[in-house]
Amino acid sequence: MASQGQVMFWSMTTVIVILAAVIALIIGFGVSGKRSISVTALMSPGNIGQSGLLGCTFEPDIRMGSITIRWAKAGVAGLVHEFRAGKDHLQEQDVAFQGRTEVFADQVIGGNASLKLRVVHLSDAGTYRCSVTTSRGSGVAVLQYQTGAFSTPRVQVESSGSGDVLQCEAPRWFPRPTVRWTAYSDAGKRLPGAANTSYELNSENITLKVVSFLHDVTANTTYTCVIENSIAMATGNIKVTDFNVTGETNLQVVNLNTESVSSSLPACHWMLLLPVCLLSM
């Protein structure tokens, strides 16, 4: 037969387990509306001197008054931007971002927390956090924002005494890009002739003008000028025939991987952990 002490021990253990379960249910119901929500960052590199976009989306909430969006940057004392209850709240905005930030207020209710950044500076590069709180919960997305300069090249044919020359020119690049040429004749691939590339510092002393010349141009061949750095790649194509010249250009940026993290533990996890915590006291 079990001793009186053993019976009392099992009775106390049962009471503690039941009490823990009740408390867990109460807390679970109380915080179920404050679970973690999904927040995702989508980013394209910023082009110096132009407007940039730091993309951020979250689970929509039809109650605009409950939505708070905070953008922050690592190493910056103040906030980058704060949007709360349908309005901007910029009292804590860092001076470096004053007059340059904007959220898409009419799209917030649909889950868009993206930030428009005007006149991108080289120094805007860094780690950003998009924090969103709604009536459903809260979440955070972290992204690495790169800044530089990139532009679409223009490729054209120039005639000289020694024959036709192709010129590939792009007005603004940073960091310094590489330039390469490829050539495909109608009969198959061939290597291009010698190319001469130069870089000229622009007036703002940051970006570079890129000019590349390709010699020994032949007819019935498609030439491609490729300009590329760590954040963007641009191509200029030109087809040379006996009768005319046609061309096209393309510019694409390199999207970096982003990280989405939740800032709170779901209520169901608290319900599972609480009895363990109480029994271990």
Side-chain angles (χ1 to χ4, degrees), residues 258-277:
T258 57
E259 178 184 2
S260 298
V261 296
S262 297
S263 60
S264 59
L265 191 63
C268 61
H269 290 191
W270 286 109
M271 294 173 65
L272 293 174
L273 291 176
L274 185 56
V276 177
C277 295

Side-chain angles (χ1 to χ4, degrees), residues 99-110:
R100 297 201 297 130
T101 59
E102 178 185 359
V103 298
F104 301 90
D106 59 336
Q107 299 178 27
V108 167
I109 199 169

Side-chain angles (χ1 to χ4, degrees), residues 40-58:
T40 304
L42 305 169
M43 187 277 299
S44 293
N47 202 346
I48 298 171
Q50 301 182 17
S51 292
L53 181 69
L54 286 78
C56 183
T57 61
F58 63 97

Side-chain angles (χ1 to χ4, degrees), residues 78-281:
L79 291 176
V80 175
H81 196 97
E82 181 176 5
F83 181 87
R84 173 166 34 93
K87 297 180 179 179
D88 291 327
H89 292 266
L90 306 179
Q91 296 85 351
E92 298 181 35
Q93 186 179 47
D94 192 87
V95 64
F97 295 96
Q98 289 179 1
R100 297 201 297 130
T101 59
E102 178 185 359
V103 298
F104 301 90
D106 59 336
Q107 299 178 27
V108 167
I109 199 169
N112 187 0
S114 300
L115 184 72
K116 180 179 180 180
L117 184 60
R118 300 185 188 90
V119 192
V120 171
H121 301 163
L122 184 62
S123 58
D124 288 334
T127 303
Y128 288 78
R129 291 170 58 89
C130 172
S131 304
V132 181
T133 300
T134 71
S135 62
R136 298 182 177 185
S138 60
V140 176
V142 180
L143 62 86
Q144 297 292 330
Y145 190 54
Q146 278 194 324
T147 58
F150 38 90
S151 57
T152 304
R154 183 168 60 97
V155 183
Q156 60 186 2
V157 177
E158 292 188 351
S159 297
S160 66
S162 57
D164 290 335
V165 177
L166 292 182
Q167 177 181 325
C168 177
E169 179 179 323
R172 299 174 67 255
W173 279 83
F174 184 86
R176 175 172 169 156
T178 60
V179 180
R180 67 180 187 274
W181 289 85
T182 61
Y184 294 86
S185 68
D186 291 348
K189 184 177 180 180
R190 62 178 289 274
L191 294 176
N196 296 319
T197 301
S198 63
Y199 303 88
E200 179 183 341
L201 188 64
N202 288 317
S203 58
E204 84 277 20
N205 292 324
I206 298 176
T207 64
L208 298 167
K209 177 182 177 182
V210 181
V211 181
S212 184
F213 292 99
L214 182 69
H215 303 274
D216 301 328
V217 178
T218 60
N220 302 315
T221 304
T222 299
Y223 294 89
T224 301
C225 169
V226 182
I227 305 177
E228 183 177 14
N229 63 14
S230 59
I231 61 177
M233 180 178 71
T235 59
N237 298 321
I238 188 167
K239 183 174 179 60
V240 180
T241 70
D242 290 325
F243 304 101
N244 58 24
V245 175
T246 59
E248 65 178 5
T249 57
N250 178 62
L251 174 66
Q252 65 183 57
V253 295
V254 179
N255 287 321
L256 302 180
N257 293 327
T258 57
E259 178 184 2
S260 298
V261 296
S262 297
S263 60
S264 59
L265 191 63
C268 61
H269 290 191
W270 286 109
M271 294 173 65
L272 293 174
L273 291 176
L274 185 56
V276 177
C277 295
L278 288 174
L279 288 174
S280 63
M281 290 179 62

